[in-house]
Amino acid sequence: MEENDIINISEIFGKDVFNDNVMQERLPKKVYRELRKTIDEGKSLDPITAEVVANAMKDWAIEKGATHYTHWFQPLTGITAEKHDSFISPAGKGGGAIVEFSGKELIKSEPDASSFPSGGIRSTFEARGYTAWDCTSPAFVRHDAAGAILCIPTAFCSYTGESLDMKTPLLRSIEALNTQALRLIRLFGNTTSKKVIPSVGAEQEYFLVDREKFLKRKDLIYTGHTLFGAMPPKGQELDDQYFGAIRERVASFMKDINRELWRLGVSAKTQHNEAAPGQHELAPIFCDCNVAVDHNQLIMEVMKKVAERQGMMCLLHEKPFAGVNGSGKHDNWSLVTDDGINLFDPGKTPHDNVQFLLILTCILKAVDEHSDLLRESAATVGNDYRLGANEAPPAIMSVFLGEQLQDVISQLISTGMATSSIKGEKLETGVRTLPRFTKDATDRNRTSPFAFTGNKFEFRMVGSSASIAEPNIVLNSIAAEAFADACDFIENSENFDIAVHDLIKKYATEHERIIFNGNGYAPEWVEEAESRGLKNLKSMLDAIPALSDEKSVRLFSRFGIFTQAELESREEIKYEEYAKEINIEARTMIDMATKSIIPACLRYVKDLSDTVISVKNAGYGSRAAAENLRRVTALTDEAYSALEKLIADDEKALSIPEGRERAVFCRDVVKKDMENLRTPVDRLEMLVGKDYWPMPSYGDLLFEV
Ligand code: ADP
Ligand code: MG
């Protein structure tokens, strides 16, 4: 390793972030104090303070080489958007340039809202939209081929104040949860904590493939996943030797990723994930929910950029390869006070930790009552290919508690009291020289969509390409509601102890059905869940209506997180997005089949029939050529018919008005057509000569990174 390859994390960490240290260093004390009040206590920022901050931020960014700044925001496209402005303005008559960036420009910008989805909230003639500085997520300087740019995290709203992005409702949900959680811990005698902050660490799964090979596949280029492709002879059950060759390349990618992310203040620990070949995982250290959501966007952006720089492509799609383990995003979520108390920490003896038991049973209630909404928050077109397929959580929501908490809950339900907690036993390896240590009281369960993992919940349904904003908005909101209901009850009761005791028992009993500690991948679970009355919302379209049903409208409007109009507009956007994405997939398949796959098959057919004839002329017969000719011809015809039907139905879809109806048609008809085209083509791939096949195979993509 060369000297300059050695990364000193403490030297580079947060180097490109306008973080607390930089603010302290560069802002006058009074201004710094004012800004902290805004960040920590939500006090509004006065224009004079903003002006000073803007100036300091500009000077700092220019020292880092920035020439432009941008309001960095998250419209309802699931990714980030930017509007770039230069710091430089012409300096009048004398020529030259002056460098400008005012408080006003820091706080507010006005991108053209009409180019972003709004779900009918605003018509194009009312195109005004504003981005507003979110000072709770630090600004940063991003370096790329275009130079350096100061990125200012912002929220994005319409002229009339409706949110057009993910951040606005996220911030509202964080605020609501803070209020209700504080109210609850105050009832338990906590007078010192000032804030309860949802804390999130989102593990990101992804695939790396070779860029040259990627560029030979239109499906990867246009849709991010493969629409054709036969399984390689060896699937996931590969042994380590296959990873050996690609290790170097991947290791170098990970080193670069770490370096870039650390500079941006994202504390990433990359690691290998051996579930599928070519698949890996990146886990950041958890932080405040709002910052974690921004960081996840940065992680995805940086991963794509670095991969390309190194001759690879990073696939973030939920199901890049059919039949191979898909990619998710594990949203680890906990509630931590400003003075460091984790409200999900059960302690050693959870049975007598009454505050924890109330919080835990509130979460059970929240997840059970809003299981459909939580499911919806993880619904994307890509995730429809993943949930319920190979090694992915099913589309049924349930909570894993583990042996210890399950036992406490069972005691509560049967006797109304919990008197003991199962303790972790000593680990027996049978080898005397190995250390003996106490095992955790609870084993892991990797198959649960919502698992309690010691002092946090891990929501595993979320798709790998999606923003984690929506899942966290829902988690924060449903928790806020459950805490608020509990507080309402306790505050109106005469005896605190009895009230708390009654609530815990009631919630545990009423919502026991959501707990499932078994194997979530097993087919029996689907049946059992049904008998428990749990919903199995298989597709995104089944889940979307949960967004604006009465229960959700009540929840979100109670805390001012979404208005009914905002919810309905988001539904509209999702239906449009669904149909749009399926149409793109259909058209990509049509293009690939028409222009390359079927012609390749026909070339092969021609060569086979030439062979049959010339062998015959020589006085022989070739069973291999004749038999292959028969099979390939039949399958090519089958593919051709499926292609014709897909073309017709794709066109039909476009004649249906945009919205739910078109989306349903896409799911029920167009997607089926796509499957019917894929089946013969994948079989053809196994029959047609390798030299004829017009694109890299799964084997080429997965094992030759
Ligand atoms: P595991 O044992 O599941 O591998 P890790 O400690 O590696 O757990 O954490 C997995 C992810 O969960 C990481 O991104 C980590 O930052 C995050 N995490 C850990 N503790 C918490 C917490 N209290 N709240 C939120 N996220 C957390
Ligand atoms: Mg995990």
Side-chain angles (χ1 to χ4, degrees):
M1 192 184 266
E2 300 203 0
E3 188 99 29
N4 62 359
D5 274 354
I6 298 168
I7 304 173
N8 184 341
I9 182 163
S10 61
E11 249 173 50
I12 65 167
F13 192 81
K15 212 174 159 206
D16 292 336
V17 184
F18 195 73
N19 56 22
D20 194 69
N21 288 345
V22 181
M23 291 194 257
Q24 280 197 53
E25 217 179 278
R26 291 185 173 247
L27 296 174
K29 273 211 171 61
K30 186 166 166 287
V31 173
Y32 172 76
R33 271 199 310 270
E34 286 299 312
L35 182 59
R36 281 279 18 140
K37 265 193 211 153
T38 304
I39 297 172
D40 298 332
E41 298 159 34
K43 298 248 158 64
S44 63
L45 194 70
D46 70 88
I48 300 163
T49 307
E51 200 58 48
V52 181
V53 176
N55 240 307
M57 203 187 269
K58 176 200 68 191
D59 291 343
W60 169 82
I62 286 173
E63 281 167 36
K64 301 221 152 278
T67 50
H68 289 67
Y69 68 93
T70 180
H71 274 200
W72 187 72
F73 58 106
Q74 300 171 32
L76 300 173
T77 51
I79 52 172
T80 58
E82 304 175 355
K83 180 180 174 248
H84 293 199
D85 281 298
S86 165
F87 283 128
I88 316 231
S89 315
K93 280 193 194 129
I98 51 164
V99 173
E100 267 185 348
F101 181 57
S102 68
K104 228 164 75 196
E105 286 162 311
L106 167 64
I107 291 177
K108 188 189 104 176
S109 170
E110 207 185 316
D112 177 8
S114 63
S115 45
F116 299 102
S118 78
I121 266 193
R122 76 159 170 65
S123 22
T124 21
F125 61 90
E126 299 162 332
R128 262 174 204 268
Y130 294 109
T131 51
W133 180 33
D134 166 25
C135 62
T136 62
S137 180
F140 54 93
V141 168
R142 192 185 57 203
H143 299 267
D144 54 30
I149 182 158
L150 168 65
C151 298
I152 302 158
T154 55
F156 180 42
C157 294
S158 76
Y159 184 70
T160 41
E162 275 106 356
S163 65
L164 293 173
D165 71 345
M166 301 288 189
K167 192 184 268 286
T168 312
L170 181 70
L171 292 173
R172 292 171 184 162
S173 76
I174 292 170
E175 194 46 54
L177 180 55
N178 172 46
T179 308
Q180 301 307 326
L182 267 184
R183 193 175 153 207
L184 188 124
I185 59 175
R186 293 276 184 268
L187 290 174
F188 280 88
N190 177 325
T191 52
T192 44
S193 302
K194 291 200 193 77
K195 219 171 162 180
V196 176
I197 308 144
S199 304
V200 168
E203 300 161 80
Q204 174 75 47
E205 290 180 327
Y206 60 96
F207 280 81
L208 287 176
V209 297
D210 182 77
R211 185 163 181 273
E212 294 292 309
K213 297 201 179 81
F214 173 98
L215 291 175
K216 293 194 177 120
R217 294 204 54 133
K218 289 212 167 136
D219 46 5
L220 287 179
I221 295 174
Y222 292 127
T223 73
H225 71 138
T226 56
L227 298 168
F228 298 104
M231 275 299 281
K234 263 194 173 243
Q236 311 206 174
E237 62 287 353
L238 285 162
D239 35 56
D240 231 25
Q241 67 186 65
Y242 283 88
F243 294 103
I246 62 172
R247 240 189 212 133
E248 277 292 290
R249 208 166 173 194
V250 173
S252 145
F253 167 82
M254 288 181 173
K255 201 179 87 188
D256 252 30
I257 285 281
N258 284 344
R259 194 189 339 229
E260 294 234 350
L261 288 174
W262 288 342
R263 288 180 70 113
L264 292 167
V266 181
S267 45
K269 335 178 259 179
T270 47
Q271 47 197 227
H272 284 276
N273 178 354
E274 319 216 331
Q279 191 186 33
H280 309 280
E281 181 184 290
L282 184 151
I285 294 170
F286 68 100
C287 59
D288 293 7
C289 180
N290 179 34
V291 175
V293 170
D294 285 353
H295 279 182
N296 184 252
Q297 292 286 356
L298 279 179
I299 288 171
M300 292 194 286
E301 283 174 26
V302 170
M303 287 202 307
K304 282 196 252 182
K305 190 177 73 183
V306 171
E308 235 184 308
R309 211 162 56 205
Q310 301 200 357
M312 295 185 284
M313 292 301 272
C314 175
L315 306 182
L316 292 171
H317 193 277
E318 285 72 16
K319 198 74 180 172
F321 305 97
V324 177
N325 194 46
S327 298
K329 189 127 57 183
H330 296 170
D331 192 79
N332 293 275
W333 174 79
S334 68
L335 304 179
V336 185
T337 64
D338 59 326
D339 47 355
I341 307 164
N342 181 344
L343 300 186
F344 291 160
D345 185 356
K348 287 217 160 54
T349 52
H351 71 277
D352 60 16
N353 184 346
V354 182
Q355 177 183 304
F356 170 76
L357 289 178
L358 180 61
I359 288 176
L360 177 72
T361 50
C362 278
I363 299 298
L364 290 178
K365 168 176 181 270
V367 175
D368 188 27
E369 285 179 351
H370 294 288
S371 63
D372 50 354
L373 193 57
L374 209 45
R375 161 71 182 92
E376 197 287 326
S377 76
T380 61
V381 184
N383 224 9
D384 270 10
Y385 290 97
R386 167 179 169 256
L387 294 180
N390 306 54
E391 310 226 349
I396 305 162
M397 190 56 67
S398 65
V399 182
F400 169 84
L401 287 184
E403 198 184 342
Q404 189 188 46
L405 292 184
Q406 177 60 59
D407 173 64
V408 171
I409 294 284
S410 301
Q411 292 179 49
L412 281 168
I413 293 172
S414 61
T415 66
M417 292 240 279
T419 53
S420 65
S421 296
I422 296 175
K423 297 224 162 47
E425 291 163 12
K426 292 271 184 247
L427 182 76
E428 296 294 349
T429 58
V431 180
R432 238 180 305 161
T433 50
L434 291 178
R436 289 175 83 218
F437 52 82
T438 312
K439 292 189 285 192
D440 290 320
T442 287
D443 194 7
R444 289 302 182 101
N445 176 314
R446 303 252 169 230
T447 67
S448 173
F450 199 76
F452 185 73
T453 49
N455 61 2
K456 63 187 192 293
F457 282 96
E458 190 169 336
F459 184 27
R460 302 203 184 102
M461 232 180 217
V462 187
S464 49
S465 69
S467 158
I468 53 167
E470 207 189 326
N472 286 297
I473 292 168
V474 172
L475 284 172
N476 296 339
S477 306
I478 65 178
E481 181 187 61
F483 294 163
D485 288 349
C487 292
D488 287 348
F489 181 83
I490 296 168
E491 282 163 2
N492 288 315
S493 309
E494 266 154 35
N495 185 316
F496 173 80
D497 291 329
I498 294 176
V500 172
H501 170 273
D502 288 353
L503 267 191
I504 293 174
K505 175 158 193 229
K506 178 174 146 67
Y507 290 169
T509 311
E510 284 177 3
H511 303 288
E512 190 190 12
R513 66 170 188 166
I514 198 74
I515 305 171
F516 179 61
N517 294 305
N519 179 7
Y521 296 170
E524 302 85 65
W525 167 232
V526 177
E527 272 170 50
E528 188 185 330
E530 193 181 344
S531 72
R532 290 187 189 188
L534 298 178
K535 286 188 186 133
N536 185 359
L537 302 171
K538 290 202 183 100
S539 89
M540 173 173 171
L541 299 185
D542 298 325
I544 292 175
L547 256 186
S548 72
D549 67 11
E550 204 195 316
K551 178 166 63 75
S552 304
V553 172
R554 199 177 338 116
L555 163 74
F556 288 126
S557 51
R558 174 171 178 187
F559 300 107
I561 294 162
F562 287 119
T563 62
Q564 184 160 353
E566 285 171 334
L567 289 168
E568 282 163 3
S569 79
R570 269 157 217 254
E571 263 194 11
E572 229 18 68
I573 291 170
K574 286 178 187 229
Y575 287 130
E576 284 171 22
E577 173 194 305
Y578 187 91
K580 226 174 253 163
E581 282 191 35
I582 298 296
N583 282 141
I584 292 174
E585 295 193 345
R587 243 157 293 148
T588 304
M589 282 186 103
I590 293 169
D591 185 273
M592 291 169 78
T594 313
K595 294 197 185 137
S596 51
I597 296 170
I598 289 182
C601 294
L602 293 178
R603 267 197 304 279
Y604 190 53
V605 163
K606 179 175 180 299
D607 286 357
L608 283 173
S609 54
D610 287 353
T611 307
V612 169
I613 293 166
S614 51
V615 172
K616 201 172 167 188
N617 288 345
Y620 295 99
S622 165
R623 208 167 66 80
E627 190 58 18
N628 239 347
L629 177 60
R630 192 184 59 74
R631 284 196 284 177
V632 173
T633 310
L635 280 169
T636 308
D637 282 348
E638 189 187 328
Y640 192 74
S641 306
L643 173 63
E644 284 179 318
K645 177 151 166 40
L646 178 60
I647 292 171
D649 287 335
D650 176 60
E651 245 166 57
K652 207 183 222 170
L654 296 181
S655 68
I656 301 170
E658 260 195 314
R660 182 169 174 90
E661 204 191 332
R662 185 191 291 186
V664 169
F665 183 84
C666 284
R667 179 191 61 187
D668 295 344
V669 180
V670 179
K671 253 184 118 173
K672 293 266 148 40
D673 291 346
M674 287 164 55
E675 279 166 34
N676 291 338
L677 172 57
R678 178 174 186 147
T679 308
V681 169
D682 286 359
R683 288 179 58 201
L684 281 164
E685 188 184 343
M686 304 303 282
L687 291 175
V688 172
K690 173 94 184 153
D691 297 345
Y692 293 78
W693 203 250
M695 60 196 146
S697 68
Y698 271 22
D700 299 337
L701 287 163
L702 284 166
F703 302 126
E704 295 172 26
V705 180

